[in-house]
Amino acid sequence: MDRTDRRLLSLVERDGRASFAEIAEAAGMSKTACWNRLQGLEKAGLVKGYGARLDREKLGFSITAFVSVTIDLGRHDDFEQAVVGVPAVLDCHTTAGEFDYLLRVVARDVQALDALLRTQLGRLPGVRSFSTRICLKTIMEQRPLMDAI
């Protein structure tokens, strides 16, 4: 990956709706060359897709919470298969340390979060325990990955 690839990735990451003409102009290259390079980056798996970022609060999800989950030994595969089916779970990460997974979840209100924890997450296969932290304010979310390079 060279400087041009990094520039193209940065441009599409910041605005996935930009046209090839706009991206090409910003990158200082022709539309055809831009299209060919982006196609190559997509085929290489560097671009996983394009999408809109939605405002959770305006869609009625006023609560964001982080749930640390500890799983019984030998139940990780069962848990991972099941957690994918819970729509309120936005992210699920395996972790090293005092718990096994970290989930980011959304709920419409505290009552809905309580129901999610009791009736869905707490009943997933292998869940031994969990601890929940409610987000009070989001300072930063989804920094462009290309900023880290």
Side-chain angles (χ1 to χ4, degrees):
M1 188 167 67
D2 62 14
R3 181 183 306 170
T4 301
D5 290 338
R6 286 191 292 277
R7 177 76 174 137
L8 291 173
L9 289 172
S10 180
L11 290 166
V12 297
E13 184 179 28
R14 290 181 189 283
D15 184 2
R17 292 184 60 170
S19 69
F20 284 113
E22 292 168 324
I23 296 167
E25 183 178 332
M29 56 195 312
S30 72
K31 288 185 275 190
T32 302
C34 174
W35 186 84
N36 288 333
R37 292 290 283 259
L38 282 172
Q39 289 294 309
L41 293 168
E42 289 176 11
K43 287 178 184 171
L46 292 166
V47 177
K48 290 184 171 186
Y50 300 89
R53 290 178 38 206
L54 306 179
D55 187 311
R56 283 191 297 280
E57 285 198 30
K58 289 182 179 175
L59 289 169
F61 294 101
S62 64
I63 302 288
T64 298
F66 298 91
V67 182
S68 307
V69 183
T70 301
I71 301 295
D72 290 326
L73 289 175
R75 298 299 308 271
H76 292 272
D77 289 342
D78 296 334
F79 173 80
E80 290 175 14
Q81 289 175 10
V83 76
V84 171
V86 181
V89 176
L90 301 183
D91 301 309
C92 176
H93 306 274
T94 60
T95 62
E98 62 184 282
F99 50 88
D100 299 308
Y101 295 90
L102 178 63
L103 313 178
R104 182 170 58 107
V105 303
V106 292
R108 295 199 178 279
D109 52 36
V110 173
Q111 292 79 17
L113 176 62
D114 183 54
L116 171 69
L117 296 171
R118 290 174 188 258
T119 65
Q120 292 183 54
L121 297 182
R123 294 182 180 177
L124 290 177
V127 172
R128 183 181 332 146
S129 65
F130 59 87
S131 175
T132 305
R133 291 154 189 83
I134 294 176
C135 174
L136 299 177
K137 177 179 164 184
T138 299
I139 309 304
M140 179 182 71
E141 187 173 60
Q142 274 187 308
R143 177 188 303 251
L145 182 60
M146 291 308 293
D147 285 358
I149 295 179

